[in-house]
Amino acid sequence: MNNIKEPAITSRPKTGVFVILAGFAGLLFSLALSVSVGAAELTLKTVWEAIFSYNPSREADQIIIGIRLPREVGAALTGAAFATAGAIMQGITRNPLAEPGLLGLNAGASFGLACLLAFFTNTTYIMAILFSFLGASLGASLLFGLASLKKGGFSPLRIVLAGAAISALLTALGEGVAIMFKLSQDLAFWMAGGVSGTSWSQLQVMAPIVGMGLLTAIFFSRSLTLLSFGDEMAKGLGQRTTLIKVILILAVLVLAGAAVSVAGPIMFVGLMTPHIVRALVGTDYRWIIPGSALAGGILLVLADTTARMINPPFETPVGAVISVIGVPFFLYLIRKRGRLTQ
């Protein structure tokens, strides 16, 4: 007879519902704000008319529907993908410092894209996502391969250090491929992170993939909550931990690969947003996952808007804007959880 009791999960359903509703409202507002500001200032009324009564003869409608809206929808999907991937990784590894950028997945996806551009002349966006997925898989394989060499795996801090080493290796390889095949100029701005140039044709491919990853994470969110308390606890409560981990890691690779293929290797979105949402809704991933997706979308949309407004008409890389708040947050976590260094 199984005598293991389910762990005391800190869950705040009322706060969770509020966070999700506020997240939806905040995401819609941030999208409207982002679409309306730029080199050509537009009113919210103009944005509304362009979306619901599009007239191709109006220049404002062409700017909104053809350029700004796909860009910001892409930013929202990318932010949601990075944030959800980070939340899953933090739950699986029980590592508060886990996120795709810090553990080598983003650098692996970038390396995959560099190889695609180097060895294939005619490429499609589907191929870009595939090579991003393969590159992210390479980064994950190297990371978990290194962790398996040490009995009991790495401590949270050591696994981040290993991820940093793998990121440096794969970034160097990607830049080496770019230099060898004269792709440096083409990849420079993309490597810094940004969603400029996102098109509806890209979103038609990206949206279902990100949606599949999000739905998978939501479906397994209760199992992820139990995993976050440890494998033994999850097994004792009847969870098939190995299968669940494989499915969730595949979801992370799909989400990270799709996001990097559009926006480049942006870091810290997947680190910050799950912590912020967890502080509000508790340790139940049934609320953390959707809350993180919405918060990540809002964060990247606002960061992209900020990047466009810092030095118009030139664009500041979104990755740099995120890093301004991401690096202090990372250092704060290191300081707060100093026991991880022991």
Side-chain angles (χ1 to χ4, degrees):
M1 183 177 179
N2 190 349
N3 294 320
I4 296 180
K5 296 182 180 180
E6 186 164 325
I9 300 170
T10 305
S11 181
R12 307 183 186 107
K14 291 183 179 179
T15 305
V17 171
F18 174 78
V19 167
I20 290 175
L21 293 176
F24 272 115
L27 182 59
L28 291 175
F29 175 77
S30 63
L31 285 170
L33 174 67
S34 186
V35 170
S36 63
V37 300
E41 293 291 339
L42 304 169
T43 64
L44 292 178
K45 179 182 178 181
T46 303
V47 173
W48 179 275
E49 291 176 349
I51 293 174
F52 293 100
S53 57
Y54 175 66
N55 185 347
S57 64
R58 293 197 298 246
E59 183 180 358
D61 289 21
Q62 294 177 10
I63 293 173
I64 293 168
I65 301 300
I67 300 174
R68 291 189 184 176
L69 190 58
R71 173 178 181 152
E72 300 312 328
V73 171
L77 288 173
T78 299
F82 278 134
T84 304
I88 294 172
M89 294 180 73
Q90 290 172 15
I92 290 177
T93 64
R94 290 182 290 151
N95 181 351
L97 304 178
E99 75 111 29
L102 293 175
L103 299 190
L105 273 65
N106 288 1
S110 302
F111 174 63
L113 277 174
C115 292
L116 171 65
L117 296 176
F119 298 111
F120 295 90
T121 54
N122 296 320
T123 63
T124 64
Y125 183 59
I126 295 177
M127 292 177 65
I129 290 182
L130 175 61
F131 273 74
S132 295
F133 172 79
L134 293 175
S137 301
L138 174 61
S141 299
L142 290 173
L143 179 70
F144 291 113
L146 282 175
S148 67
L149 295 177
K150 183 177 177 65
K151 187 177 180 180
F154 284 145
S155 68
L157 185 60
R158 285 179 179 172
I159 204 169
V160 169
L161 294 175
I166 292 168
S167 294
L169 172 63
L170 293 175
T171 299
L173 290 175
E175 291 177 351
V177 170
I179 292 172
M180 184 179 298
F181 291 89
K182 300 180 180 179
L183 302 171
S184 298
Q185 187 173 357
D186 296 333
L187 292 175
F189 192 84
W190 176 84
M191 288 289 287
V195 290
S196 60
T198 304
S199 64
W200 288 115
S201 59
Q202 287 179 313
L203 295 179
Q204 287 175 354
V205 178
M206 180 193 184
I209 294 174
V210 172
M212 180 178 63
L214 293 176
L215 289 176
T216 300
I218 291 172
F219 184 81
F220 287 97
S221 58
R222 182 180 180 277
S223 298
L224 181 59
T225 302
L226 298 178
L227 279 176
S228 69
F229 286 93
D231 287 3
E232 294 300 322
M233 179 69 73
K235 287 179 181 178
L237 293 170
Q239 299 295 312
R240 300 172 65 181
T241 56
T242 301
L243 177 61
I244 292 169
K245 282 185 177 181
V246 169
I247 292 173
L248 288 173
I249 288 172
L250 286 174
V252 168
L253 296 177
V254 166
L255 289 168
V260 171
S261 68
V262 167
I266 298 175
M267 297 176 63
F268 300 116
V269 176
L271 176 70
M272 295 186 291
T273 48
H275 280 286
I276 295 170
V277 173
R278 193 180 293 110
L280 296 173
V281 304
T283 58
D284 192 342
Y285 277 83
R286 287 175 294 183
W287 300 111
I288 293 173
I289 293 294
S292 296
L294 290 167
I298 293 170
L299 175 61
L300 204 58
V301 169
L302 294 179
D304 181 62
T305 306
T306 303
R308 288 192 286 114
M309 300 303 294
I310 288 176
N311 186 29
F314 304 103
E315 293 202 15
T316 303
V318 177
V321 175
I322 294 290
S323 296
V324 168
I325 55 175
V327 170
F329 191 90
F330 176 67
L331 296 176
Y332 163 75
L333 288 179
I334 291 283
R335 181 182 177 87
K336 181 180 178 182
R337 302 175 181 271
R339 64 181 182 273
L340 296 177
T341 62
Q342 301 175 356

